[in-house]
mmCIF file of all heavy atoms in Angstrom:
data_model
loop_
_atom_site.group_PDB
_atom_site.id
_atom_site.type_symbol
_atom_site.label_atom_id
_atom_site.label_comp_id
_atom_site.label_asym_id
_atom_site.label_seq_id
_atom_site.Cartn_x
_atom_site.Cartn_y
_atom_site.Cartn_z
ATOM 1 N N LEU A 603 -8.441 -21.971 -17.639
ATOM 2 C CA LEU A 603 -7.860 -22.395 -16.380
ATOM 3 C C LEU A 603 -8.944 -22.517 -15.341
ATOM 4 O O LEU A 603 -9.872 -21.688 -15.292
ATOM 5 C CB LEU A 603 -6.755 -21.417 -15.923
ATOM 6 C CG LEU A 603 -5.597 -21.147 -16.867
ATOM 7 C CD1 LEU A 603 -4.762 -19.994 -16.355
ATOM 8 C CD2 LEU A 603 -4.735 -22.415 -17.014
ATOM 9 N N GLU A 604 -8.779 -23.466 -14.430
ATOM 10 C CA GLU A 604 -9.733 -23.648 -13.328
ATOM 11 C C GLU A 604 -9.107 -23.113 -12.049
ATOM 12 O O GLU A 604 -7.970 -23.498 -11.698
ATOM 13 C CB GLU A 604 -10.097 -25.099 -13.151
ATOM 14 C CG GLU A 604 -11.124 -25.374 -12.088
ATOM 15 C CD GLU A 604 -12.523 -24.967 -12.516
ATOM 16 O OE1 GLU A 604 -12.785 -24.792 -13.715
ATOM 17 O OE2 GLU A 604 -13.420 -24.841 -11.610
ATOM 18 N N VAL A 605 -9.801 -22.217 -11.344
ATOM 19 C CA VAL A 605 -9.305 -21.696 -10.065
ATOM 20 C C VAL A 605 -10.104 -22.391 -8.960
ATOM 21 O O VAL A 605 -11.300 -22.105 -8.779
ATOM 22 C CB VAL A 605 -9.495 -20.190 -9.972
ATOM 23 C CG1 VAL A 605 -8.935 -19.643 -8.651
ATOM 24 C CG2 VAL A 605 -8.821 -19.470 -11.149
ATOM 25 N N PRO A 606 -9.483 -23.292 -8.224
ATOM 26 C CA PRO A 606 -10.234 -23.997 -7.147
ATOM 27 C C PRO A 606 -10.540 -23.054 -5.976
ATOM 28 O O PRO A 606 -9.976 -21.954 -5.876
ATOM 29 C CB PRO A 606 -9.292 -25.114 -6.739
ATOM 30 C CG PRO A 606 -7.953 -24.640 -7.129
ATOM 31 C CD PRO A 606 -8.118 -23.769 -8.351
ATOM 32 N N ALA A 607 -11.360 -23.512 -5.075
ATOM 33 C CA ALA A 607 -11.809 -22.671 -3.942
ATOM 34 C C ALA A 607 -10.650 -22.327 -3.013
ATOM 35 O O ALA A 607 -10.653 -21.296 -2.381
ATOM 36 C CB ALA A 607 -12.923 -23.395 -3.185
ATOM 37 N N ASN A 608 -9.660 -23.235 -2.915
ATOM 38 C CA ASN A 608 -8.597 -22.993 -1.935
ATOM 39 C C ASN A 608 -7.367 -22.317 -2.549
ATOM 40 O O ASN A 608 -6.313 -22.292 -1.950
ATOM 41 C CB ASN A 608 -8.178 -24.325 -1.302
ATOM 42 C CG ASN A 608 -7.525 -25.261 -2.277
ATOM 43 O OD1 ASN A 608 -7.785 -25.173 -3.487
ATOM 44 N ND2 ASN A 608 -6.701 -26.164 -1.795
ATOM 45 N N LYS A 609 -7.517 -21.751 -3.759
ATOM 46 C CA LYS A 609 -6.402 -21.036 -4.388
ATOM 47 C C LYS A 609 -6.929 -19.744 -5.014
ATOM 48 O O LYS A 609 -8.132 -19.586 -5.247
ATOM 49 C CB LYS A 609 -5.743 -21.873 -5.470
ATOM 50 C CG LYS A 609 -4.967 -23.070 -4.883
ATOM 51 C CD LYS A 609 -4.129 -23.747 -5.927
ATOM 52 C CE LYS A 609 -3.316 -24.884 -5.328
ATOM 53 N NZ LYS A 609 -2.417 -25.509 -6.321
ATOM 54 N N THR A 610 -6.013 -18.815 -5.250
ATOM 55 C CA THR A 610 -6.364 -17.542 -5.853
ATOM 56 C C THR A 610 -6.080 -17.593 -7.373
ATOM 57 O O THR A 610 -5.362 -18.441 -7.848
ATOM 58 C CB THR A 610 -5.586 -16.394 -5.210
ATOM 59 O OG1 THR A 610 -4.175 -16.526 -5.581
ATOM 60 C CG2 THR A 610 -5.732 -16.366 -3.715
ATOM 61 N N LEU A 611 -6.642 -16.600 -8.055
ATOM 62 C CA LEU A 611 -6.334 -16.472 -9.468
ATOM 63 C C LEU A 611 -4.847 -16.281 -9.666
ATOM 64 O O LEU A 611 -4.246 -16.842 -10.609
ATOM 65 C CB LEU A 611 -7.124 -15.312 -10.048
ATOM 66 C CG LEU A 611 -6.782 -14.881 -11.502
ATOM 67 C CD1 LEU A 611 -6.966 -16.049 -12.467
ATOM 68 C CD2 LEU A 611 -7.625 -13.691 -11.902
ATOM 69 N N LEU A 612 -4.211 -15.502 -8.800
ATOM 70 C CA LEU A 612 -2.750 -15.302 -8.904
ATOM 71 C C LEU A 612 -2.005 -16.610 -8.775
ATOM 72 O O LEU A 612 -1.037 -16.877 -9.505
ATOM 73 C CB LEU A 612 -2.308 -14.295 -7.822
ATOM 74 C CG LEU A 612 -0.822 -13.948 -7.832
ATOM 75 C CD1 LEU A 612 -0.457 -13.191 -9.102
ATOM 76 C CD2 LEU A 612 -0.476 -13.112 -6.609
ATOM 77 N N ASP A 613 -2.436 -17.453 -7.823
ATOM 78 C CA ASP A 613 -1.786 -18.756 -7.671
ATOM 79 C C ASP A 613 -1.814 -19.551 -8.963
ATOM 80 O O ASP A 613 -0.787 -20.109 -9.397
ATOM 81 C CB ASP A 613 -2.508 -19.592 -6.587
ATOM 82 C CG ASP A 613 -2.357 -19.033 -5.189
ATOM 83 O OD1 ASP A 613 -1.354 -18.331 -4.938
ATOM 84 O OD2 ASP A 613 -3.262 -19.294 -4.361
ATOM 85 N N ILE A 614 -2.962 -19.596 -9.596
ATOM 86 C CA ILE A 614 -3.124 -20.406 -10.802
ATOM 87 C C ILE A 614 -2.338 -19.853 -11.950
ATOM 88 O O ILE A 614 -1.707 -20.583 -12.717
ATOM 89 C CB ILE A 614 -4.623 -20.520 -11.160
ATOM 90 C CG1 ILE A 614 -5.380 -21.246 -10.028
ATOM 91 C CG2 ILE A 614 -4.812 -21.275 -12.465
ATOM 92 C CD1 ILE A 614 -4.817 -22.612 -9.634
ATOM 93 N N LEU A 615 -2.324 -18.515 -12.096
ATOM 94 C CA LEU A 615 -1.543 -17.910 -13.180
ATOM 95 C C LEU A 615 -0.065 -18.196 -12.985
ATOM 96 O O LEU A 615 0.657 -18.514 -13.946
ATOM 97 C CB LEU A 615 -1.792 -16.399 -13.211
ATOM 98 C CG LEU A 615 -3.187 -15.964 -13.650
ATOM 99 C CD1 LEU A 615 -3.351 -14.447 -13.480
ATOM 100 C CD2 LEU A 615 -3.447 -16.366 -15.098
ATOM 101 N N GLN A 616 0.415 -18.121 -11.739
ATOM 102 C CA GLN A 616 1.837 -18.374 -11.497
ATOM 103 C C GLN A 616 2.156 -19.855 -11.686
ATOM 104 O O GLN A 616 3.217 -20.188 -12.215
ATOM 105 C CB GLN A 616 2.225 -17.904 -10.090
ATOM 106 C CG GLN A 616 2.155 -16.375 -9.979
ATOM 107 C CD GLN A 616 2.548 -15.888 -8.581
ATOM 108 O OE1 GLN A 616 2.413 -16.601 -7.615
ATOM 109 N NE2 GLN A 616 2.978 -14.627 -8.517
ATOM 110 N N GLU A 617 1.283 -20.756 -11.232
ATOM 111 C CA GLU A 617 1.531 -22.187 -11.436
ATOM 112 C C GLU A 617 1.539 -22.541 -12.914
ATOM 113 O O GLU A 617 2.253 -23.478 -13.330
ATOM 114 C CB GLU A 617 0.452 -22.999 -10.714
ATOM 115 C CG GLU A 617 0.554 -22.977 -9.213
ATOM 116 C CD GLU A 617 -0.624 -23.681 -8.533
ATOM 117 O OE1 GLU A 617 -1.404 -24.345 -9.263
ATOM 118 O OE2 GLU A 617 -0.748 -23.573 -7.305
ATOM 119 N N SER A 618 0.781 -21.791 -13.692
ATOM 120 C CA SER A 618 0.730 -22.043 -15.155
ATOM 121 C C SER A 618 1.820 -21.265 -15.870
ATOM 122 O O SER A 618 1.860 -21.246 -17.113
ATOM 123 C CB SER A 618 -0.647 -21.627 -15.697
ATOM 124 O OG SER A 618 -1.674 -22.314 -15.012
ATOM 125 N N ARG A 619 2.732 -20.626 -15.128
ATOM 126 C CA ARG A 619 3.830 -19.848 -15.648
ATOM 127 C C ARG A 619 3.360 -18.729 -16.566
ATOM 128 O O ARG A 619 3.966 -18.422 -17.585
ATOM 129 C CB ARG A 619 4.817 -20.771 -16.387
ATOM 130 C CG ARG A 619 5.406 -21.812 -15.464
ATOM 131 C CD ARG A 619 6.178 -22.881 -16.197
ATOM 132 N NE ARG A 619 7.515 -22.399 -16.601
ATOM 133 C CZ ARG A 619 8.416 -23.162 -17.231
ATOM 134 N NH1 ARG A 619 8.117 -24.441 -17.505
ATOM 135 N NH2 ARG A 619 9.577 -22.679 -17.574
#
Side-chain angles (χ1 to χ4, degrees):
L603 302 170
E604 184 74 18
V605 182
N608 66 334
K609 291 190 177 183
T610 67
L611 172 58
L612 182 65
D613 292 334
I614 297 305
L615 291 174
Q616 291 180 337
E617 289 174 10
S618 304
R619 299 170 77 177

